[in-house]
Amino acid sequence: MSKKSVVLAFSGGLDTAFCTVYLREQGWDVTTVTVDTGGFPPEQLERIQALALKLGAVAHHTVDARDTLFQGYLRFLIAGNVLRGQVYPLSVSAERACQAVEAVRMAEKLGVQAVAHGSTGAGNDQVRFDVAFRTLAPQLQLITPIRDLALSRKQELDFLAERGVHLPAKLGAYSVNEGMWGTSVGGRETLDSWSTLPEAAFPGGEIPTDLKPRPLVVAYEKGVPVALDGKAMTPVAVVEALNALGRPYGIGRGVHLGDTILGIKGRVGFEAPAAHLLIASHRELEKLVLSGKQLFWKETVGNLYGSLLHEGHFFDPVVKDLEAFLASSQDRVTGEVKLVLTPRAHVVEGVRSPHSLMDAKVATYGEANVLWTGTEAAGFAKLYGVAQMLSQKAK
């Protein structure tokens, strides 16, 4: 390595392509690192490596971090049933934290002097990468060409074209981030609150009109998906299979409107079949096996965990405390959930578990039971309402 060496978190998109050429022209030896958090078929990873070398990187590394992503991040998002704004599965949030950690590991392994990312100065990713890099590797220089130069996407395309690098026009129209937990899509339609992203902007494209309902069964062991339709799989394989099954149906596709880390409103398109199917089925299984108080506090903890991850606070010590709670809550979350997929929708049809708290032999809601008598129930109902009765009398 030269005295000016940098590791660049490289996605193969327009921004990081620009960064590679720009940093090289600034005298840096650029090593590109693509952290595979899913969504990349082998041929695409090969294309990314070829592009990095074509752009002048001295070396390129691909890190398979799919299992790392699941074990370190996604299993807690499932345990917490986390959907920001009730719709968005925090795919980018989890991936960026994971990618930043792996990029730092590579930088330390190679002994470089700097780390770089291609995030703009407008979004959340710049904060996530900056915080991770400065927390985990404060000794390394942080370089952010896209943010510092504030170029438009057209200017980036023109810069590369002038140097003989011609990227597909689509890269200038939409910013697409693919990952195992979902794909985010940004473009001119997401810059206001009224416009609609065209179906063609999503990786799944137009939804076929002749799809038939697709039943499936997801099995969990201690809150982790371990089988699909009776076939044992690794958690990563379950996620990838559900993405493949759900994508043609348009499952988990939508647009999220919410608050950014910088304090402004932001809007992003997403397509996340596996995340939506797993969270819906996992939540239903938890309803069967967890107590009411567990469910209440899990929702609170899950929302807090998701907010910390989304807002770039993943390295705060409280995150590990929350993970310990979420992990403990999953001890009895074992069983199967039956779903049916239809275009743009999925329905949970049934759930079963060896730890079920719903026992028809003990009590049937609204009918007879063996745990109490009618007289005891009447006494309970009377006492249950005493506080409200006294409150009304005190008016």
Side-chain angles (χ1 to χ4, degrees):
M1 286 287 178
S2 71
K3 291 184 179 180
K4 290 187 66 175
S5 54
V6 58
V7 159
L8 169 66
F10 188 78
S11 68
L14 173 59
D15 292 332
T16 54
F18 172 87
C19 288
T20 305
V21 177
Y22 176 80
L23 288 170
R24 180 170 54 81
E25 292 186 357
Q26 297 301 306
W28 291 91
D29 277 353
V30 183
T31 296
T32 51
V33 178
T34 298
V35 181
D36 179 12
T37 48
F40 297 109
E43 59 272 16
Q44 188 170 357
L45 290 173
E46 292 174 4
R47 180 196 67 78
I48 290 173
Q49 177 172 338
L51 176 62
L53 298 177
K54 178 182 177 181
L55 294 170
V58 297
H60 177 81
H61 299 272
T62 299
V63 179
D64 185 351
R66 291 173 296 171
D67 187 64
T68 300
L69 176 67
F70 185 89
Q71 298 298 338
Y73 309 82
L74 301 189
R75 70 185 181 101
F76 297 110
L77 292 178
I78 295 174
N81 301 315
V82 179
L83 289 174
R84 190 169 180 85
Q86 306 304 311
V87 295
Y88 183 55
L90 297 186
S91 54
V92 175
S93 310
E95 290 159 17
R96 293 298 177 265
C98 180
Q99 289 163 353
V101 170
E102 294 302 319
V104 167
R105 286 176 179 168
M106 184 61 67
E108 292 178 337
K109 177 181 178 181
L110 297 177
V112 300
Q113 287 74 49
V115 285
H117 64 76
S119 300
T120 71
N124 293 326
D125 284 348
Q126 59 171 327
V127 179
R128 294 167 183 148
F129 275 118
D130 279 21
V131 169
F133 287 165
R134 287 179 171 138
T135 300
L136 301 177
Q139 76 280 8
L140 299 179
Q141 181 180 345
L142 174 60
I143 309 175
T144 58
I146 301 300
R147 181 171 62 192
D148 296 344
L149 298 173
L151 300 179
S152 68
R153 295 180 70 78
K154 183 180 183 304
Q155 287 175 310
E156 292 177 51
L157 285 168
D158 291 344
F159 174 90
L160 292 173
E162 290 171 1
R163 290 153 178 79
V165 179
H166 299 278
L167 297 182
K170 184 178 179 182
L171 289 179
Y174 293 101
S175 176
V176 179
N177 294 296
E178 297 184 64
M180 186 170 71
W181 203 232
T183 298
S184 66
V185 181
R188 66 180 183 276
E189 294 88 353
T190 59
L191 297 179
D192 66 72
S193 61
W194 187 254
S195 301
T196 303
L197 275 170
E199 299 287 359
F202 295 95
E206 300 286 344
I207 300 174
T209 59
D210 59 348
L211 291 172
K212 296 180 179 180
R214 169 57 159 92
L216 62 88
V217 176
V218 181
Y220 290 87
E221 185 173 324
K222 292 185 179 295
V224 174
V226 294
L228 189 60
D229 288 335
K231 180 181 179 182
M233 297 181 177
T234 65
V236 169
V238 171
V239 172
E240 292 176 341
L242 288 176
N243 279 330
L245 286 171
R247 178 170 283 182
Y249 287 85
I251 302 297
R253 180 183 294 189
V255 178
H256 169 58
L257 172 63
D259 296 294
T260 69
I261 298 174
L262 298 179
I264 62 175
K265 296 291 183 181
R267 196 166 179 250
V268 64
F270 62 87
E271 185 176 77
H276 274 253
L277 291 170
L278 287 173
I279 288 175
S281 56
H282 177 267
R283 182 187 291 114
E284 194 71 9
L285 179 57
E286 284 194 327
K287 291 178 184 178
L288 183 68
V289 301
L290 298 185
S291 71
K293 288 182 173 58
Q294 282 181 300
L295 293 171
F296 175 87
W297 285 109
K298 273 196 71 277
E299 182 175 358
T300 301
V301 171
N303 285 335
L304 176 56
Y305 182 83
S307 293
L308 291 169
L309 177 60
H310 176 75
E311 294 169 4
H313 292 295
F314 187 74
F315 303 101
D316 189 293
V318 72
V319 169
K320 294 303 177 185
D321 298 332
L322 299 178
E323 288 179 348
F325 176 92
L326 291 171
S328 174
S329 74
Q330 300 302 290
D331 282 348
R332 292 190 299 169
V333 186
T334 295
E336 294 181 307
V337 185
K338 180 171 56 175
L339 305 97
V340 174
L341 311 187
T342 57
R344 291 189 172 277
H346 56 282
V347 178
V348 176
E349 289 200 331
V351 59
R352 60 187 180 187
S353 169
H355 306 299
S356 172
L357 297 181
M358 186 176 180
D359 188 350
K361 296 178 181 178
V362 173
T364 302
Y365 182 75
E367 298 179 13
N369 66 84
V370 298
L371 291 180
W372 58 80
T373 67
T375 301
E376 291 169 333
F380 171 81
K382 180 178 180 179
L383 293 174
Y384 192 76
V386 165
Q388 297 172 68
M389 179 183 68
L390 293 176
S391 178
Q392 288 295 314
K393 284 185 175 181
K395 286 185 177 180

